Amino acid sequence: MYINFKAIANWAKSAAGITITISIAVALYATINSGPYVLVNTIITGGMLALVATGLTLMLGVLNIAMFAHGEYFMIGSLTAFYVFTPISNYIMENPDSFLVIIGPVIAIVLSMVSGAIAGVISEKLVFGPLRRRSTDNWVMNSFLLTVGLSVLLINLHQLIFGADFKGIVRYWGGMPVSIAGAFISRDRIMAFLISGLIVFLFWFFMTYTRTGRAIRAVSQDATGAQIVGINIENIVLLTIALSCALAGVAGGSLLFMYPSYPTMGLEPLYMAWFVVILSGLGNILGAVAGAFMVALLKVVTVEYIGAGWDFVVPSALIMLILIFKPSGIFGSEVRGVLDK
Amino acid sequence: MENIQKRQPVNTEKSREKENNSSISKESNQSLSKKGNQSLSKERNQSILKEGDQSISTLDVFLEKTGFTPVGLLGVILLLIMPFIPPFNQEYLLRWLIYAAFIAAMSVGFDFTAGYINIVNFGYAAVMGYGGYTSSILAINLGLTPWIGILIGGLNSAILGLIIGMISLRLRGIFAACLSWFFGLALMGLATKLVWLTRGPLGLRVPRMFATESNIPFYYLVIILLVAMYILCKWVVKSKIGLAFQAIGQNMDAARTSGINPVFYRVFNFTLSCALAGILGGFYAHYYAILTPEVMHTSKTVEVLAVAYIGGRGSLWGGAVIAFPFIFIMEIIRSTLSNLPGLNLIIYAMLLILVMIYYPGGFSYFFDTHIRKPKNKALRYFLNGRETSAS
């Protein structure tokens, strides 16, 4: 069997290769040094981040909207899951043998995805659509500021209608934690990771192999060209927003047991997802997934070795360094080309 | 006379955009004309301009130097006598006034970056907080008087702005905004975690600037800061540097091809606007006498951003004018409808969204197109100042 060592060496010398190798090394070191829970935490946080960040990178790639309100769809998803799951869990308490023990959480998570998609469609119809029809001059900046307003609006609507207290649940699926390689992991965490893995896989499959997914990618590469070959831009735009907000919503819904719902809960996933997008460059779904795990690792390792609360300082400093030396991200190549129209 | 026409006041947003598009070519024309024989006619034009200017009054000269229109000057005078007009002479209304003036000054500095070189400095509040922390830590640990501390805070923030400007050079638009945002997040994280220095979320207790309980000296200080910052920014923007800023904001590549060096202008812009933020941060710390990492939060930047954009980007005065009614309405809603928390923020977010979609020029555009051009000559002078001066 012939192995192309030269290609591997070249890859290892590229920015992507260096970062991936270093992250794997750091992950291994931390796992050996502090125990496997570092790896487990990284994988679960990374799975959630991958969902939010792929939505964000999709928005940026297709619609050129630098979303500041993406965390708010995360919040909407978790809020929906809370209000759907609370009655279900009360019912389960009374009837422990009901089929809802298994299905109930799934219903809540699916509904959180649907509510995220609906919220995305509504915001497209009420906010982005009117702006697009009015003018597309300086679109990136204007739409970005629009999403800033949207974020403030959604946060405070939550506070006004549902109150500012923490709305959380104890668990989705009960039962004993599972032991994997000496670390005890609750079933909810495993399920959350499985859900995010499944959805990212489905999403990647959809984008790569279906006709609609290819149409979305075509629009992200060249909107005019896509229109010439007969793609309905309006539908694609609507679908993209619904998809990316649904991804954020399902992330919020499936992590309700870790992050209770409250008005400003969306900020942290938003910061982290932006770190991922900047790190991995734009329009690259697999890159965003890899970047999500790197940022998650960075965060977990920071909390482990430096202390809680530093997890904004160290990742931002590192990402600023990356931005200085590689402005287009470690996997991307034409960030500026896409954004500077 | 062509030259004089070019110096006509840039009134409307649209005409300003046109001006900007032509400004790039104008810049290149100027550089060309230095070598070519066009320079002769140019000098003649300027001499004509000077001869025409000799009949202007001292008020006009003053207005021209400071960048105010008569109505603007009247507004400043109104602000100066405001603490003695009955509803505003109560202490709590004076506190609102001070906060409004503070936000107004912030929005001037913010608009200096966002409206001209078209980069939103998303860590602006963090830079402000950094200046405030510098000044207060000096005052607490070294006993330095706040007057010098504020200046040092401004200087320190200027250095920070220099760094942000330098490292964001290779990035454009939204990516530069993200970088400044991450910078702000990192600063806020540092302020929260360096407990031995900043006491973290507990907040730093800062000596006040004036020993009195009264708010009046603080009010005058912030008004002086506001006016001085406006004059400084206006002066820079009116000069050739401002033209270069606009060219860079519109189209960086075109600006570069016409011989503008974006490195200098962008770094200069960041440095100046961050220095202003640092000075204001010092004022904030020494007025409220307590400084928590909350002031560096992104939501504070969003507040300044909303004011600057509702006021109208690229105008400097728009945000400063709109800040006063805006802050007052917000405070009134907050204090009267206290059982509905967050309603004022909902209203301001709706306002920001509506303005961004349906009226992107903001208040200054509305003023320029609908109010500024009355038929009456005296009124016209009152609103615009002398005709040939750029307003």
Side-chain angles (χ1 to χ4, degrees), chain B residues 245-315:
Chain B
F245 284 162
Q246 287 185 340
I248 290 170
Q250 294 278 322
N251 186 339
M252 182 125 99
D253 294 320
R256 196 180 274 157
T257 33
S258 44
I260 298 171
N261 179 10
V263 174
F264 168 73
Y265 290 106
R266 275 181 66 163
V267 173
F268 174 71
N269 189 308
F270 264 96
T271 312
L272 185 58
S273 93
C274 287
L276 298 184
I279 291 174
L280 282 170
F283 170 80
Y284 184 95
H286 291 291
Y287 170 60
Y288 286 99
I290 187 145
L291 201 57
T292 57
E294 260 323 92
V295 297
M296 302 168 105
H297 199 264
T298 315
S299 60
K300 208 81 176 173
T301 313
V302 171
E303 194 174 348
V304 175
L305 180 147
V307 168
Y309 274 77
I310 292 170
R313 62 187 103 171
S315 72

Side-chain angles (χ1 to χ4, degrees), chain B residues 315-332:
Chain B
S315 72
L316 293 180
W317 59 267
V321 170
I322 220 74
F324 289 89
F326 184 83
I327 297 293
F328 267 82
I329 291 168
M330 290 300 129
E331 293 289 335
I332 287 168

Side-chain angles (χ1 to χ4, degrees), chain A residues 134 308 324 335-336 339-340, chain B residues 170 172 175 193 313 357:
Chain A
R134 246 189 112 69
I324 294 166
V335 175
R336 292 194 266 182
L339 283 165
D340 260 340
Chain B
R170 289 175 68 179
R172 297 177 183 194
F175 279 80
K193 292 312 285 184
R313 62 187 103 171
I357 298 177

Side-chain angles (χ1 to χ4, degrees), chain B residues 131-152:
Chain B
Y133 267 115
T134 310
S135 169
S136 1
I137 287 168
L138 283 178
I140 292 167
N141 293 348
L142 300 180
L144 201 68
T145 161
W147 294 100
I148 301 170
I150 280 183
L151 289 181
I152 294 177

Side-chain angles (χ1 to χ4, degrees), chain A residues 9-275:
Chain A
N10 275 343
W11 179 82
K13 268 190 275 180
S14 72
I18 292 171
T19 359
I20 290 179
T21 320
I22 291 177
S23 349
I24 291 174
V26 169
L28 279 179
Y29 172 76
T31 312
I32 294 164
N33 199 14
S34 319
Y37 67 94
V38 173
L39 202 61
V40 172
N41 277 350
T42 306
I43 286 174
I44 288 163
T45 325
M48 173 206 79
L49 260 182
L51 285 179
V52 183
T54 39
L56 201 63
T57 189
L58 191 68
M59 273 306 238
L60 262 168
V62 178
L63 301 170
N64 257 341
I65 296 177
M67 198 69 165
F68 189 77
H70 214 66
E72 272 53 70
Y73 298 98
F74 184 89
M75 179 263 284
I76 287 172
S78 74
L79 196 64
T80 315
F82 174 76
Y83 278 104
V84 171
F85 190 69
T86 312
I88 291 178
S89 103
N90 289 341
Y91 180 78
I92 291 173
M93 293 288 259
E94 289 161 15
N95 315 294
D97 300 327
S98 151
F99 69 100
L100 278 175
V101 174
I102 307 290
I103 299 298
V106 177
I107 295 174
I109 291 170
V110 168
L111 280 180
S112 70
M113 188 167 184
V114 172
S115 73
I118 291 172
V121 170
I122 290 173
S123 40
E124 153 67 19
K125 286 283 177 202
L126 290 184
V127 177
F128 300 118
L131 179 65
R132 192 177 303 109
R133 257 169 265 130
R134 246 189 112 69
S135 104
T136 47
D137 304 344
N138 203 0
W139 163 260
V140 177
M141 219 46 174
N142 284 354
S143 60
F144 174 64
L145 297 170
L146 210 55
T147 62
V148 172
L150 195 64
S151 158
V152 177
L153 183 71
L154 290 175
I155 288 175
N156 288 290
L157 275 180
H158 180 153
Q159 191 179 1
L160 190 67
I161 299 171
F162 301 104
D165 46 345
F166 288 80
K167 293 171 273 289
I169 57 168
V170 183
R171 59 174 176 271
Y172 273 134
W173 288 277
M176 289 295 289
V178 185
S179 161
I180 299 174
F184 287 97
I185 310 160
S186 75
R187 290 188 182 187
D188 285 351
R189 288 176 175 242
I190 294 176
M191 285 304 283
F193 174 67
L194 288 183
I195 289 169
S196 62
L198 179 71
I199 287 173
V200 167
F201 174 74
L202 284 179
F203 180 69
W204 172 79
F205 185 82
F206 169 76
M207 291 297 281
T208 319
Y209 291 108
T210 64
R211 209 180 155 74
T212 326
R214 283 207 296 264
I216 290 178
R217 285 192 298 149
V219 174
S220 83
Q221 280 165 9
D222 186 345
T224 325
Q227 214 159 12
I228 289 169
V229 296
I231 294 170
N232 186 341
I233 298 270
E234 283 292 310
N235 288 350
I236 293 292
V237 162
L238 214 57
L239 182 70
T240 312
I241 290 200
L243 258 180
S244 74
C245 295
L247 287 175
V250 76
S254 62
L255 288 180
L256 182 61
F257 64 94
M258 273 169 83
Y259 302 105
S261 189
Y262 60 96
T264 52
M265 73 176 300
L267 282 177
E268 202 196 323
L270 177 77
Y271 297 153
M272 290 296 162
W274 266 107
F275 287 164

Side-chain angles (χ1 to χ4, degrees), chain B residues 211-233:
Chain B
T212 61
E213 278 296 299
S214 160
N215 286 314
I216 287 181
F218 290 100
Y219 178 71
Y220 282 113
L221 180 65
V222 73
I223 292 291
I224 289 169
L225 280 177
L226 170 63
V227 172
M229 279 173 191
Y230 175 77
I231 291 172
L232 178 66
C233 289

